[in-house]
Amino acid sequence: MFSRKVSYFIDRGECYSLGNFEDNKIYFGRYLSYVTRIERLTERYNELSLKMRSTHSRNLDGMPKGNRKYFMEDDIVELDEIEHRINSLKDESLSFKREITNALDHLDNPDCSAILEERFIYKKTMSVIAEELHLSDRQTARLYSQAMNRYKFGS
């Protein structure tokens, strides 16, 4: 159908494909989607746990309530199911995380490796990464862009 137009630029005698950037975002995004789902489920798990630990007794003020009665067993079953889903997602994501960290460990520039690891494994913003690595925001963005364009991660 449509062929993707790939641009190239020359830097110090080396040719880089700008198509690598989008491919690399997709490659790293596989793991980030797991991280996002795990965070969402963990938040739901914590909310439900807090609800179950609540020491407040039910308000018996004589006013009619809804038809559905509250049973703590329902929450226990849901908590167990959420915990199972979290563990399942963690197991599935582990192979992606190992693949990514292995690829990052073999980069030439350790700063590029650190930036990509913080960004795609620990899901930090670029400004936080710059602060932690004691680099300017501009330098961090340049190294990030250089690594994403220069290297081809995944297959």
Side-chain angles (χ1 to χ4, degrees):
M1 287 193 63
F2 296 102
S3 63
R4 185 174 56 161
K5 183 178 178 183
V6 178
S7 302
Y8 295 93
F9 67 96
I10 306 295
D11 181 31
R12 295 186 214 149
E14 296 180 42
C15 186
Y16 301 111
S17 166
L18 291 178
N20 284 348
F21 193 90
E22 291 302 318
D23 294 339
N24 288 337
K25 279 179 62 176
I26 292 169
Y27 174 75
F28 289 122
R30 296 182 311 167
Y31 179 70
L32 281 180
S33 68
Y34 280 103
V35 170
T36 304
R37 287 183 273 170
I38 290 169
E39 286 175 351
R40 180 183 53 80
L41 286 173
T42 302
E43 185 177 317
R44 174 69 183 130
Y45 183 88
N46 292 337
E47 288 172 1
L48 196 55
S49 295
L50 187 64
K51 176 183 170 185
M52 288 178 57
R53 281 186 277 160
S54 176
T55 58
H56 295 33
S57 63
R58 300 194 72 189
N59 187 6
L60 301 174
D61 58 1
M63 298 299 293
K65 305 292 185 232
N67 293 345
R68 189 177 188 288
K69 293 188 180 213
Y70 172 77
F71 294 107
M72 188 173 255
E73 293 83 19
D74 295 338
D75 288 342
I76 293 171
V77 170
E78 186 177 354
L79 240 149
D80 186 50
E81 179 61 28
I82 292 172
E83 184 177 7
H84 174 72
R85 289 170 59 194
I86 290 170
N87 290 334
S88 176
L89 284 172
K90 283 182 179 179
D91 290 343
E92 287 177 32
S93 70
L94 190 58
S95 64
F96 290 127
K97 183 178 180 180
R98 286 183 179 154
E99 185 180 335
I100 290 169
T101 54
N102 186 38
L104 294 177
D105 288 341
H106 291 91
L107 292 183
D108 301 346
N109 188 336
D111 287 336
C112 290
S113 178
I115 290 168
L116 293 179
E117 184 171 349
E118 294 294 320
R119 180 77 179 121
F120 293 109
I121 298 294
Y122 301 110
K123 203 177 174 183
K124 294 182 181 176
T125 63
M126 294 301 279
S127 59
V128 170
I129 296 169
E131 187 176 315
E132 287 180 355
L133 295 178
H134 307 290
L135 299 170
S136 69
D137 288 343
R138 186 173 182 162
Q139 177 72 0
T140 304
R142 188 183 66 77
L143 288 170
Y144 169 78
S145 180
Q146 175 187 0
M148 291 293 282
N149 286 316
R150 173 181 264 174
Y151 301 103
K152 173 75 174 154
F153 298 99
S155 51

